[in-house]
Amino acid sequence: MINLKIDGKAVQVPPGSTVLDAARALGIEIPTMCFLKGVKEDRPSCLACVVRVNKQPRLVPSCATQASEGMEVESETPFVREARKAAMELLFSDHLGDCVSVCQRVCPAHLQVPATIRLVSQGKMREAIQLVKENVVFPSVMGRICRAPCETGCRRSKLDGAVAIQLIEREVADLDRLAKERFTPTCAPSTGKRIAIVGAGATGLSAAFYLLRLGHKAVVFDDHPEPGGHMRYGVPEQDLPRETLDGDIATIRLIGLDFRGEQRLGRDFTLEQLRQEFDAVIVAVGNMQKTKPAELGIAATERTVRINPHTLQSSVPGVYAAGSCIRTGYDPARSVGEGKQLAECVDGFLQGREVKIVVKEFTSSLPKFDEAEVRSFLQGANALLSTRELIGLAEEASGRCCHCDCRAADSCKLRLYGDMYNVDVKRNLGGKRRGFEFVRQPGGILFEPGKCISCGICVELAEQAKEPFGLTHIGRGFDVKIGVPLHGELSDAFQKVGEDCVRHCPTGALSFEDDEKNTIKAGNGNGEEKI
């Protein structure tokens, strides 16, 4: 056995082991992108796995460096981390792709826009409403009164008009609301925990919905006789029919909403009473102009409740707040999104773990396209139905979506490590960027050359499977790319190992058109407690 140390920790490995093998034996995570055990092991190219050995000034790739007796390895020093960060910034400097589509990124309620539209385009309306309600508990309402920033952000809006995203959400929700058997989400087994929610508006009811789904008991207090807050008592009937609002609230009632109307904090009960009776408290009282700060029992000004912006916790432990009471201005979509964040923060508190809100999700962005690139970008999307007056045509309207999100965003190693190493995705290291291309292949495989880092894993997989054409590296230096010999088509190279190549692609350059397959590829994530 070979004895060595990594970050001061001793480890023994068999002869022939690499530094990466030794690190994994210790449970030390070293990022790898161009390495695949048993397939591609000895020709490193991404340099994401570099380490420092025996205090030498030169860094070496851990995936291809043999472990030796007495070796001392540094894998987590600032010097090593900066080198890895630089390697990833070099890859990102020539990376063409949106990790998260702009329409989804700007949605305050975090609606999964492209994935929902793909389900609608396939006529899978029940699956679509199920996905919508993963983040938006009031889809019929938002389909009518949301300001639709998603459509402003839609990349097609500046070309020939945005995709009618709000209309699509509205129709999916209305179809479910009027169906004989409505979608009713399942809830986790009861935890025995009870949460008091003060305020039955968009924030409070959204928080109640997700807390109920997590298995907690949610009791909602409000000074009005019916739930809905500003949606019911502030939005005109012609803009939001009350049967539409009641239809969305009915889903929350079906899974156990306990609503107690005509109950006001500071008049009928105090915050301290709620803290004694419940395991946690949420304050979602809406506009502070209608509330005296002294009535709340937590730190507040005349305009807002003071909270920790990363946890939504108030000045009192176990008491959380969000919605219009922590900011000025009414934004129903944002209130809905904050309701889910509240539920996840409170759930973490009840389990003894802290959940932190990710203010800005890690993502790269596509640049401005030239005319030829626009044509490639629009491939597969129809040019019709640009008007918003298309009630009853959601399935057809969905065909305009260009699906500029990354299908493999949840499994992309470049994104995962870019976030981990605080990479600046906008750092321009010079040189002309490559052109945008988008290629659909038989068998439901998508290829985006702009995301390829030429790791060579697919080349090796094709060679091992003895594909008739296979794949190879074409070009030299920064111009190198993966392609099929003799100007062949990728479909020629993917006769046997297409799906294997997709599953092992580290960056999403290869992905499945079927979202379900990409979900399987992504697995359960890395377990980080971030929202």
Side-chain angles (χ1 to χ4, degrees):
M1 299 291 284
I2 296 172
N3 297 278
L4 67 154
K5 289 183 178 181
I6 302 180
D7 296 336
K9 299 177 181 178
V11 63
Q12 285 188 330
V13 292
S17 299
T18 63
V19 171
L20 179 63
D21 293 328
R24 289 179 171 177
L26 284 170
I28 295 173
E29 181 180 2
I30 294 179
T32 62
M33 284 186 280
C34 67
F35 170 85
L36 183 61
K37 190 74 172 177
V39 176
K40 184 174 181 291
E41 301 178 326
D42 57 354
R43 293 189 296 281
S45 58
C46 70
L47 299 182
C49 71
V50 293
V51 294
R52 189 179 187 185
V53 175
N54 297 334
K55 302 293 184 182
Q56 294 294 316
R58 175 172 164 268
L59 299 178
V60 297
S62 61
C63 67
T65 301
Q66 294 290 305
S68 61
E69 185 66 29
M71 178 183 281
E72 293 191 4
V73 179
E74 299 171 14
S75 75
E76 281 300 317
T77 61
F79 179 57
V80 171
R81 289 185 64 86
E82 281 301 311
R84 292 176 183 169
K85 178 179 178 179
M88 292 176 208
E89 287 182 340
L90 181 63
L91 295 174
F92 269 113
S93 70
D94 198 33
H95 185 72
L96 287 177
D98 284 326
C99 298
V100 182
S101 63
V102 181
C103 59
Q104 181 170 321
R105 199 159 67 235
V106 300
C107 174
H110 313 295
L111 176 67
Q112 298 178 60
V113 179
T116 299
I117 289 178
R118 283 193 281 275
L119 290 172
V120 172
S121 67
Q122 298 165 20
K124 298 179 179 179
M125 297 301 184
R126 188 169 181 82
E127 290 88 342
I129 191 62
Q130 183 175 348
L131 182 60
V132 166
K133 289 199 174 182
E134 288 297 317
N135 291 284
V136 183
V137 68
F138 290 102
S140 290
V141 173
M142 294 301 107
R144 287 168 170 83
I145 67 171
C146 178
R147 298 167 185 168
C150 55
E151 295 186 14
T152 303
C154 174
R155 288 194 178 277
R156 195 158 184 175
S157 64
K158 296 180 181 179
L159 298 174
D160 56 359
V163 176
I165 300 168
Q166 186 177 28
L167 178 147
I168 293 170
E169 178 188 12
R170 171 178 172 175
E171 185 169 329
V172 167
D174 285 352
L175 285 171
D176 178 69
R177 181 169 55 85
L178 300 173
K180 290 183 179 179
E181 293 186 14
R182 296 188 57 183
F183 166 70
T184 303
T186 57
C187 298
S190 175
T191 63
K193 301 292 185 180
R194 301 172 73 246
I195 298 94
I197 301 174
V198 184
T203 303
L205 291 177
S206 180
F209 175 78
Y210 293 105
L211 286 167
L212 289 166
R213 292 195 62 182
L214 291 166
H216 306 307
K217 174 72 173 178
V219 181
V220 181
F221 300 86
D222 196 273
D223 58 354
H224 292 100
E226 294 294 330
H230 186 79
M231 295 182 292
R232 183 182 299 279
Y233 297 102
V235 180
E237 173 82 19
Q238 64 267 26
D239 295 335
L240 178 60
R242 296 303 178 253
E243 64 268 20
T244 299
L245 172 62
D246 289 335
D248 280 348
I249 294 176
T251 302
I252 314 175
R253 293 187 187 276
L254 284 172
I255 62 173
L257 173 65
D258 184 346
F259 173 71
R260 302 180 187 183
E262 300 182 310
Q263 296 287 308
R264 185 179 179 85
L265 178 63
R267 184 190 68 192
D268 301 297
F269 54 85
T270 65
L271 181 66
E272 189 56 36
Q273 287 174 326
L274 293 180
R275 292 185 68 207
Q276 292 178 8
E277 184 179 350
F278 294 87
D279 297 289
V281 180
I282 287 175
V283 176
V285 294
N287 193 317
M288 284 290 290
Q289 291 179 352
K290 303 175 183 178
T291 305
K292 294 180 181 180
E295 295 177 345
L296 298 179
I298 54 178
T301 69
E302 293 294 330
R303 302 183 68 185
T304 62
V305 172
R306 292 176 179 172
I307 60 161
N308 180 329
H310 298 290
T311 64
L312 300 181
Q313 187 166 234
S314 73
S315 58
V316 178
V319 179
Y320 293 77
S324 298
C325 69
I326 69 167
R327 51 183 161 78
T328 58
Y330 179 65
D331 186 341
R334 186 173 177 183
S335 294
V336 166
E338 288 175 351
K340 184 180 182 183
Q341 291 177 332
L342 273 173
E344 293 175 330
C345 289
V346 170
D347 180 62
F349 168 76
L350 295 174
Q351 295 186 42
R353 55 181 173 79
E354 187 177 74
V355 177
K356 289 191 174 182
I357 296 169
V358 176
V359 178
K360 189 174 182 180
E361 190 172 15
F362 185 91
T363 183
S364 66
S365 299
L366 288 168
K368 184 178 180 180
F369 292 151
D370 60 29
E371 187 176 339
E373 290 174 319
V374 168
R375 286 196 294 270
S376 182
F377 179 69
L378 293 175
Q379 178 186 337
N382 69 49
L384 304 175
L385 305 170
S386 60
T387 177
R388 292 170 55 85
E389 304 301 323
L390 293 168
I391 303 301
L393 295 174
E395 189 171 334
E396 290 86 344
S398 66
R400 299 190 69 247
C401 181
C402 297
H403 305 288
C404 46
D405 63 318
C406 179
R407 307 292 181 93
D410 292 334
S411 61
C412 174
K413 288 187 175 183
L414 186 59
R415 184 188 186 207
L416 171 66
Y417 295 132
D419 189 15
M420 186 182 298
Y421 284 84
N422 195 29
V423 163
D424 180 3
V425 297
K426 295 182 179 180
R427 186 179 179 191
N428 189 345
L429 300 179
K432 183 180 178 181
R433 70 169 175 85
R434 70 178 92 185
F436 177 84
E437 297 177 72
F438 188 84
V439 183
R440 275 185 165 84
Q441 292 296 310
I445 294 176
L446 306 174
F447 177 49
E448 295 178 71
K451 296 178 181 178
C452 178
I453 60 172
S454 300
C455 68
I457 290 175
C458 58
V459 175
E460 298 294 333
L461 285 168
E463 183 176 339
Q464 287 187 3
K466 300 188 184 306
E467 287 274 16
F469 277 79
L471 294 160
T472 189
H473 291 89
I474 300 173
R476 287 176 173 271
F478 288 106
D479 293 327
V480 72
K481 63 180 182 179
I482 299 295
V484 183
L486 303 177
H487 305 289
E489 298 291 332
L490 279 173
S491 56
D492 297 327
F494 286 156
Q495 296 180 33
K496 301 178 182 179
V497 292
E499 291 200 1
D500 283 342
C501 288
V502 174
R503 295 191 190 284
H504 292 296
C505 179
T507 65
L510 292 168
S511 62
F512 296 110
E513 195 156 11
D514 185 341
D515 282 342
E516 188 173 345
K517 287 186 176 181
N518 288 314
T519 301
I520 295 171
K521 175 186 174 182
N524 296 320
N526 59 12
E528 292 183 44
E529 295 297 338
K530 299 191 295 183
I531 58 175

